[in-house]
Amino acid sequence: AYGDEEVASDGSLHVVTATFSAGANKLGDVNNAITYVRSTDGGKSFSSVVSVEEASEPTAYYFSNPQVAYNPSTSRTFVVYPAGGPDGAWSIRLATSTDGGASWSRITVNDDAPCANHATPTIVLDESTGKVHIAWLENRGGVGAVAYTSCNPDGAQCAPNQAVSLAMALALRIWV
């Protein structure tokens, strides 16, 4: 029900979904999953389904909406998703694969303590620079707002978060 797909400039198809496991908490549980598949033949066949999140990492089903981007020039797949338990203290995670989804490295994108709710991320890849741009909803500072960051082309490090919405900047009085 929640997910994203991308047809990359090389014609490959990439699909990521939030998967709910029966009996799991829809607001965050280790039994939920973020799954990925790809097709390199126009959707005639697909790779095996793989989990993107770490095995012990709780992921949400509600408010998750994982997103995918693929860079054909570097063969890097990027998936962004929220992780955390039913207490709502979620972080935004960026997973990167260089081997078609067989293995993933992961970093936390939001740069505040995991006490706020960070949800519904979106991702855009700038193929000309390789940079990954990520925005998400959050309640850092007690006010609902939109935050943004850009990440290195290898997905290993992101810039400090920026407030996109005025409510966030005013609440924190440090971002502008």
Side-chain angles (χ1 to χ4, degrees):
Y2 300 105
D4 185 39
E5 67 282 329
E6 176 183 341
V7 177
S9 62
D10 68 353
S12 60
L13 173 62
H14 304 266
V15 181
V16 64
T17 59
T19 304
F20 170 68
S21 180
N25 191 316
K26 291 180 181 178
L27 293 174
D29 198 299
V30 296
N31 294 309
N32 296 330
I34 305 300
T35 59
Y36 169 79
V37 297
R38 66 180 162 69
S39 173
T40 58
D41 60 8
K44 294 176 187 167
S45 64
F46 286 86
S47 65
S48 297
V49 176
V50 296
S51 289
V52 174
E53 82 288 351
E54 294 182 74
S56 62
E57 185 174 47
T59 57
Y61 179 70
Y62 288 149
F63 311 108
S64 181
N65 206 33
Q67 301 283 291
V68 63
Y70 177 72
N71 189 339
S73 65
T74 63
S75 298
R76 281 195 169 83
T77 307
F78 301 97
V79 173
V80 64
Y81 62 95
D87 61 357
W90 301 344
S91 290
I92 299 297
R93 303 276 282 161
L94 175 63
T96 304
S97 177
T98 58
D99 57 10
S103 63
W104 298 88
S105 59
R106 297 161 204 85
I107 63 168
T108 298
V109 171
N110 55 287
D111 60 9
D112 62 328
C115 61
N117 183 276
H118 307 82
T120 59
T122 190
I123 189 170
V124 175
L125 171 72
D126 180 344
E127 278 195 47
S128 66
T129 65
K131 273 192 156 181
V132 177
H133 301 273
I134 302 170
W136 62 93
L137 298 175
E138 66 171 46
N139 68 353
R140 185 186 317 200
V143 178
V146 178
Y148 161 83
T149 191
S150 63
C151 304
N152 293 349
D154 62 3
Q157 185 176 2
C158 298
N161 297 168
Q162 299 176 30
V164 174
S165 57
L166 183 58
M168 178 67 80
L170 293 174
L172 295 179
R173 296 186 181 149
I174 57 172
W175 293 6
V176 177

